Amino acid sequence: MARLEEIPYGNPFIFEDSSFTLPDFGERHVDTLVSGATLMVGGQTTGVRVFVNVTDPGASGVVVADVDLQKERTAAGPVRENAPLTANVTDVTSQSVVLIAAESPKIVLSRGGVVYVCHSVESGSLEGASPVSPFEELDQRQGNEQKIRNLIAYVRSSLDIPYREQLADRLKFLLEVTKEEAPEELEQFPESLRNFVVFLRTAPLLKYPDVVVSPSGNIRTQWQAALNKHFAAEFLPTDQAAFVVFSPYQKGTKRVSGIVPISELLEAVEPQNVLSWASE
Amino acid sequence: MKGDFVPDTDHVSRYCSRSRLTEEGKVTAAAFQLKEHEQSISVNWLEFLSQPNRQAEIAEVRKVLTSNRITLRRTGRIAVLNVGETRNHVYSATHPDSKDLHILHDPLPNDSSHSGIFGVMMDDQLIPELIVQTVKEIHPALD
């Protein structure tokens, strides 16, 4: 299954300006980490318990960090190379709890950064949080825009696909259009975009798709070679994709649709031979 | 009158914003997906406008949309569907379930030709794809 943390909202060079909020972190498990992103267990959060680990494959030994979640950002010291790090935090009451995480500790360490991996968020609740004011909503939108920009920067600089520049330009265009014409659609955009990027990492041989934004604010992509060679997928903010495939069948067209976890999308459409015409 | 069926021989148009179009300006199924809380896909009944030809109908639709505070963009598009072709295509392509779309007149205070495509569900992927296959004409959103 695609994991929340596989794709960063930021990169090691801009991570201090990026953040995301776990929408339902009471149930989410973040087993590895976010490359250079800032993880915000935010709002008026209470009773959150966060485990922080560094996942260096060659790590050994245990070091417990002094993570101060009462501050806006963690103040833990630098991670020791080849040493996993664990911190248990309880009774979080601050407005903004931030952990800095990175997928590739060595890279970040080489730049003198502080690296943590959010291993799991065990429990938490947003119950009792105040209603969002218009100003907070504006802040949220600006936050969403920054997340999208960070993801686009990641696509442009790091995604291992041949059309990354073209895709980044397209995503930037869609961001600008959505901001201008339907800013409310930006709400789901970052999660959906991240899931799309997660998918592309599993399918680097797919051709450059048509990319649009659905009325729900999700990234929707399509690959079409003919009317009966058509594959479209809408990347939901829930680590799932809703898809439809039209494929040749006897003298007609077979139409298949469904919703699957992102990690199973290719598997779901492969019986229709999608890759035979949608990939390079 | 509200609730009347738009005849199968008639046409409806749909404004498609730039974010629902491909880079080449082709209309995608996203243009025929529902927004949250929407019951139907908003369209305009072209023959109801009693204009002499298609260009005049589209010009009238542009006026109506603009008067309803929809900001039309030069790169947006207005897609035209034939009601009967769209309904028949969706019906036959969804066999054996055979989904029957209803395209009904649904006038609004400032938009007497407003109609709706009923029968598309939120998050539906298949029906919007079938609808977009029946787009007959695409016009610029601005002249």
Side-chain angles (χ1 to χ4, degrees), chain A residues 129-229:
Chain A
S130 303
V132 178
S133 74
F135 296 108
E136 286 169 328
E137 197 174 304
L138 183 63
D139 283 347
Q140 201 171 11
R141 272 189 196 153
Q142 286 171 340
N144 283 337
E145 184 181 338
Q146 189 56 51
K147 290 174 197 171
I148 296 164
R149 290 194 187 284
N150 290 342
L151 279 165
I152 293 172
Y154 171 80
V155 168
R156 193 182 299 281
S157 65
S158 307
L159 195 58
D160 191 17
I161 52 173
Y163 49 81
R164 62 188 186 189
E165 286 280 341
Q166 190 181 3
L167 179 62
D169 288 345
R170 174 63 178 167
L171 293 170
K172 190 178 167 197
F173 170 80
L174 290 172
L175 168 62
E176 297 304 327
V177 169
T178 305
K179 258 174 63 186
E180 186 181 330
E181 297 186 9
E184 72 280 2
E185 291 176 10
L186 288 179
E187 197 173 317
Q188 290 192 175
F189 200 134
E191 286 290 334
S192 172
L193 175 55
R194 194 165 55 82
N195 287 331
F196 172 46
V197 175
V198 167
F199 172 70
L200 285 180
R201 283 180 25 155
T202 67
L205 294 180
L206 280 174
K207 292 177 182 170
Y208 179 64
D210 292 319
V211 185
V212 299
V213 179
S214 80
S216 300
N218 296 324
I219 291 291
R220 194 175 193 281
T221 58
Q222 66 177 37
W223 292 260
Q224 184 169 35
L227 280 181
N228 63 357
K229 290 181 178 176

Side-chain angles (χ1 to χ4, degrees), chain A residues 166 170 173-174 176-178 180-182 184-185 188 208-218 220 222 224 227-228 230-234 236 242-244 246 255-259, chain B residues 14-24 26-36 38 71-73 75-76 89 92-95 122-130 132-133:
Chain A
Q166 190 181 3
R170 174 63 178 167
F173 170 80
L174 290 172
E176 297 304 327
V177 169
T178 305
E180 186 181 330
E181 297 186 9
E184 72 280 2
E185 291 176 10
Q188 290 192 175
Y208 179 64
D210 292 319
V211 185
V212 299
V213 179
S214 80
S216 300
N218 296 324
R220 194 175 193 281
Q222 66 177 37
Q224 184 169 35
L227 280 181
N228 63 357
H230 180 88
F231 166 37
E234 179 169 344
L236 308 179
F243 71 94
V244 60
F246 295 170
R255 301 174 180 89
V256 178
S257 62
I259 297 180
Chain B
R14 166 81 169 163
Y15 173 63
C16 309
S17 91
R18 295 174 292 173
S19 60
R20 321 276 190 246
L21 305 175
T22 68
E23 285 165 82
E24 295 77 34
K26 287 184 190 164
V27 178
T28 71
F32 293 96
Q33 287 183 301
L34 284 181
K35 281 190 177 201
E36 201 176 357
E38 280 183 335
T71 307
L72 304 183
R73 309 287 173 180
T75 47
H89 181 59
S92 58
T94 52
H95 180 80
M122 178 81 186
D123 296 330
D124 195 338
Q125 301 294 322
L126 177 60
I127 305 296
E129 289 287 357
L130 294 172
V132 82
Q133 284 188 335

